[in-house]
């Protein structure tokens, strides 16, 4: 059920429907799911597993790393689903950009780009995890976004952002 993305509460409900005497707790389901995911990842790190998943599912993704005497460190990663790239090239007029502030376990802001279709529906264009919200990081993500656009004449006409001055300057 985990492989089919069934939520833990539904797993417990299904198991109890099959066997009313079942005393499994949600903690046991979470632990079992964790062990399953670790087994599926095998000897790969979380980042290696992410890159494998993105590659296997034909996502567009680029990353930048910093090589230091202590090792190699991820600077940022940009990724977009193939369907999102297609939608971007069909509806490039209005984009909305915003980033979270260090809400991941790696303390990396998530920069999200959303587009709007002609039927007023939204779609996710792409995402970037950034080491911080500085000019260099935003420029890199915006360059990757620009590389997704097939025709230079169809760049966005309107970009909505919050009052993040760094992003405002970089978008210009």
């Amino acid at each position: 059920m985990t492989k089919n993305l069934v939520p833990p509460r539904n797993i417990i409900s299904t198991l109890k429907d099959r066997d009313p005497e079942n005393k499994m707790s949600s903690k046991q389901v979470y632990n079992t799911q964790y062990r399953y995911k670790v087994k599926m990842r095998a000897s790969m790190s979380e980042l290696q597993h992410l890159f494998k998943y993105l590659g296997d599912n034909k996502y567009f993704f680029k990353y930048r790393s910093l090589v230091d005497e202590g090792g190699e460190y991820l600077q940022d990663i940009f990724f977009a689903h193939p369907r999102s790239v297609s939608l971007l090239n069909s509806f490039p007029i209005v984009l909305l950009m915003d980033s979270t502030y260090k809400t991941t376990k790696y303390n990396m802001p998530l920069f999200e780009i959303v587009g709007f279709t002609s039927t007023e529906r939204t779609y996710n264009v792409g995402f970037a995890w950034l080491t911080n919200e500085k000019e260099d990081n935003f420029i890199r993500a915006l360059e990757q976004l620009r590389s997704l656009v097939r025709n230079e004449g169809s760049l966005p006409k309107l970009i909505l952002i919050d009052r993040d001055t760094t992003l405002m300057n970089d978008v210009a």
Side-chain angles (χ1 to χ4, degrees), residues 15 20 53 147:
L15 292 174
Y53 178 85
S147 74

Side-chain angles (χ1 to χ4, degrees), residues 88-106:
L88 172 65
N89 285 292
S90 297
F91 305 102
I93 306 301
V94 179
L95 294 180
L96 176 117
M97 299 177 186
D98 195 14
S99 61
T100 61
Y101 183 71
K102 297 187 180 190
T103 57
T104 65
K105 73 178 184 178
Y106 301 108

Side-chain angles (χ1 to χ4, degrees), residues 42-82:
S43 63
M44 293 185 285
S45 70
E46 288 177 341
L47 197 54
Q48 290 169 329
H49 186 68
L50 173 64
F51 289 163
K52 180 182 180 323
Y53 178 85
L54 293 173
D56 290 349
N57 290 287
K58 298 179 178 33
Y59 275 71
F60 169 86
F61 73 99
K62 297 282 183 181
Y63 67 94
R64 183 173 57 156
S65 60
L66 171 69
V67 178
D68 193 319
E69 58 197 42
E72 185 175 8
Y73 304 98
L74 181 69
Q75 287 293 103
D76 47 50
I77 178 173
F78 179 90
F79 58 97
H81 190 274

